[in-house]
Amino acid sequence: AVRGRRADPRRDGAPLMATATLRPDATNYNSGWTVAVAASAHTAVDDDPVDDTSYVQAAAGTWYLEFGIGALTLPAYAQIKAVSVRVRRRGNSSATLDVAIGYRPSAGAAVKSLVLSAGEKPTSTTATKTYGSLVTAPGGAAWDNDVTIPNMIVTLGANNTNIRVHEIYVDVEY
């Protein structure tokens, strides 16, 4: 058994926790980001395996880009323990990048969101950064496979053309 985790007898001593990685499957809102080497913003940042040739790039000024995140099917006994966002990005050490996660509780409802990083200044080296390990959804609700996960969004904000985002991952630990 793995130290610090209870073993599940139904799985021959394997740890109870596993991680599923979700990727963007929709571009919900784009206020000025350009797309390079892809048909849409969400296909530019969902490469598997990782491919830095496609990306989204902020325009001059302050611009936002919102992605819908793909659905997740969990085993019947699973409970979501935490959610984190990983972003593969680069900048110029002066341009800022904001990253937020949220969900829309129902059609037409206001988004419940949480800023994971505001004003970060990525360097010119393309690198992946992990933002948060959230045990509850924005607004304090429990993560679940009925409302919070299927309606999840990731939003990017940037202030000039030096910000590029190559990949977005949402890791769901259950």
Side-chain angles (χ1 to χ4, degrees):
V2 175
R3 188 175 221 159
R5 295 183 182 176
R6 279 191 357 254
D8 182 349
R10 296 172 295 178
R11 297 192 296 165
D12 300 320
L16 281 171
M17 290 187 248
T19 300
T21 298
L22 305 177
R23 304 301 297 272
D25 69 350
T27 305
N28 295 347
Y29 179 75
N30 183 350
S31 71
W33 290 65
T34 58
V35 177
V37 195
S40 64
H42 67 278
T43 59
V45 298
D46 75 346
D47 303 324
D48 190 20
V50 173
D51 176 5
D52 288 340
T53 59
S54 64
Y55 56 88
V56 292
Q57 182 170 347
T62 302
W63 302 101
Y64 296 93
L65 179 57
E66 179 184 289
F67 295 101
I69 303 300
L72 172 65
T73 302
L74 293 174
Y77 61 86
Q79 290 185 320
I80 298 168
K81 305 293 184 194
V83 174
S84 59
V85 177
R86 290 181 291 141
V87 178
R88 186 162 175 78
R89 78 286 185 269
R90 72 178 226 186
N92 68 349
S93 299
S94 65
T96 61
L97 174 67
D98 302 333
V99 178
I101 189 170
Y103 71 98
R104 189 169 280 108
S106 60
V111 171
K112 294 186 182 233
S113 64
L114 175 67
V115 175
L116 300 173
S117 177
E120 175 193 1
K121 296 178 180 177
T123 68
S124 59
T125 302
T126 302
T128 302
K129 181 172 180 179
T130 300
Y131 300 92
S133 180
L134 307 171
V135 295
T136 59
W143 290 112
D144 65 56
N145 209 28
D146 297 320
V147 177
T148 57
I149 298 294
N151 299 303
M152 190 184 318
I153 59 173
V154 170
T155 305
L156 304 174
N159 71 350
N160 80 37
T161 61
N162 290 303
I163 296 293
R164 287 185 181 179
V165 173
H166 296 271
E167 305 294 333
I168 296 175
Y169 314 86
V170 176
D171 295 322
V172 179
E173 186 178 329
Y174 61 95

